[in-house]
Amino acid sequence: MLEKLSSQQIDKFNKLAQMLLDANETLNLTRISDAEQIKVRHFEDSLVILDRLTEIQTQSRNTPKLIDVGSGAGFPALALAIAMPSWQIVSIEATGKKAQFQQTAVKELALNNTLVIHNRAEILSHDKKYRQKFHAATTRAVGSLAMIAELTVPMLKVGGEFFAWKGPKAETELTTGQQRLADLGCGLLNQQKYSLPGDSQKTDYRIINAKKI
């Protein structure tokens, strides 16, 4: 997906990678400490839903909004903010050092479309300021499908879409996750399987997606 972006966007990704490498030496923000792996495992992985977000944007009558729950060092939130400047991105992270890194990155990269909130999603999901406000909600490596659905779906508008990044163990979560999504007002669960560049092990990555109806 990176090859679809402008040179200015690529420059921001390169700067973000260097910032992450530098900060990781003292803050232990991510287990990935190699520039090429950051590009693949964080950047390319975050941008898997880019085409679908573009479709949502074309269908939206106003500025589309996305909320990323438990974004860690900023993924997919910061990557999507760079790639989708027309979107408003809200990133929620409960760990102080990770939220602070994101806030620094937002300032250094001039991501004026991005707000980083240091708080717990369990609290914000009950806040009227965030309930039913977003066109898309994302979670990556946060918890079980049922748990993250409970945190994110209340923040979606009717018609908004839920996206969860999952790996090979996703099958064990699907039945319970589908039921919880249905309880929260979502339609049928979809799966998009994908691979990452240079992944010799052909890991069974997938995006779990559902629309709030």
Side-chain angles (χ1 to χ4, degrees):
M1 287 293 180
L2 287 171
E3 70 274 5
K4 295 184 178 182
L5 304 181
S6 69
S7 58
Q8 290 87 350
Q9 288 170 313
I10 296 298
D11 287 344
K12 288 189 176 186
F13 273 109
N14 289 337
K15 187 172 182 178
L16 177 57
Q18 190 59 54
M19 290 179 67
L20 191 57
L21 288 170
D22 292 343
N24 212 41
E25 292 181 3
T26 55
L27 296 178
N28 191 29
L29 297 174
T30 172
R31 289 175 295 176
I32 301 171
S33 56
D34 172 82
E36 187 59 33
Q37 283 301 302
I38 287 174
K39 175 182 175 182
V40 174
R41 299 286 299 281
H42 282 323
F43 299 167
E44 291 283 2
D45 193 50
S46 293
L47 299 181
V48 169
I49 66 170
L50 201 59
D51 288 343
R52 180 57 195 147
L53 292 185
T54 300
E55 292 174 0
I56 293 172
Q57 180 177 332
T58 60
Q59 296 163 6
S60 177
R61 296 180 179 179
N62 45 34
T63 301
K65 298 179 180 179
L66 178 146
I67 190 160
D68 184 28
V69 172
S71 53
F75 305 104
L78 296 182
L80 294 175
I82 294 172
M84 305 288 289
S86 297
W87 280 70
Q88 290 183 4
I89 308 291
V90 175
S91 174
I92 300 174
E93 174 52 43
T95 303
K97 65 180 181 180
K98 294 179 179 180
Q100 187 172 14
F101 170 78
Q102 288 191 58
Q103 289 164 348
T104 300
V106 165
K107 183 177 180 180
E108 292 291 324
L109 300 174
L111 298 178
N112 300 321
N113 62 333
T114 308
L115 173 66
V116 179
I117 301 174
H118 175 211
N119 208 330
R120 299 189 65 81
E122 295 92 324
I123 296 172
L124 295 181
S125 64
H126 295 287
D127 188 329
K128 290 182 180 179
K129 188 195 295 188
Y130 301 100
R131 289 180 71 86
Q132 301 186 58
K133 302 296 184 184
F134 295 89
H135 299 79
T138 56
T139 59
R140 182 173 175 261
V142 172
S144 72
L145 186 59
M147 183 198 80
I148 56 182
E150 189 139 351
L151 294 176
T152 55
V153 174
M155 301 188 194
L156 287 172
K157 295 170 174 282
V158 172
E161 296 192 28
F162 163 87
F163 299 90
W165 278 245
K166 286 292 177 181
K169 297 180 180 179
E171 294 293 341
T172 62
E173 304 176 24
L174 291 181
T175 301
T176 305
Q178 173 69 82
Q179 183 58 56
R180 193 67 195 110
L181 283 163
D183 291 344
L184 291 163
C186 287
L188 290 177
L189 178 152
N190 298 303
Q191 294 188 66
Q192 173 193 348
K193 295 186 178 182
Y194 67 97
S195 59
L196 292 173
D199 179 17
S200 59
Q201 298 181 8
K202 303 297 181 184
T203 307
D204 181 18
Y205 297 113
R206 63 188 75 188
I207 297 288
I208 306 298
N209 169 238
K211 180 177 286 191
K212 187 172 182 177
I213 56 175

